Amino acid sequence: MSTIRVDVNPEVILDAISKSNRSMEDVEKRFKTFNKWINNELSPTFNQLTDLSKFLRVPFGYLLLSTPVKVNLHAYHNERSIT
């Protein structure tokens, strides 16, 4: 069986980590080739990316985005306030 590698933007991975409750050290311990992903030396496999999305508790599709999502949650919250 062949290994399927997925090209991902390292910025998206780093953004997903920053939005999760995980530290970089936690991710590095769990995924031995993590630094190679971030340095664009090696792409994660499909299974590794699936495991990463579960580990970070982010949707799998988020990791496939070309750029990180910039959301100001405070501004969104203010617009939804009840008057």
Side-chain angles (χ1 to χ4, degrees), residues 5-61:
R5 297 210 174 264
V6 181
D7 290 332
V8 293
N9 182 347
E11 290 181 27
V12 173
I13 294 175
L14 294 173
D15 184 61
I17 294 168
S18 71
K19 292 178 179 175
S20 73
N21 289 327
R22 303 287 187 171
S23 69
M24 290 286 270
E25 292 79 26
D26 291 340
V27 178
E28 289 171 353
K29 286 179 189 173
R30 175 75 188 265
F31 300 94
K32 303 302 179 199
T33 57
F34 172 74
N35 287 321
K36 289 184 179 184
W37 304 346
I38 298 304
N39 295 323
N40 276 329
E41 296 172 15
L42 181 69
S43 295
T45 66
F46 180 84
N47 289 338
Q48 288 171 326
L49 208 56
T50 301
D51 291 344
L52 180 64
S53 72
K54 291 176 185 176
F55 186 71
L56 298 177
R57 295 186 178 110
V58 298
F60 177 79

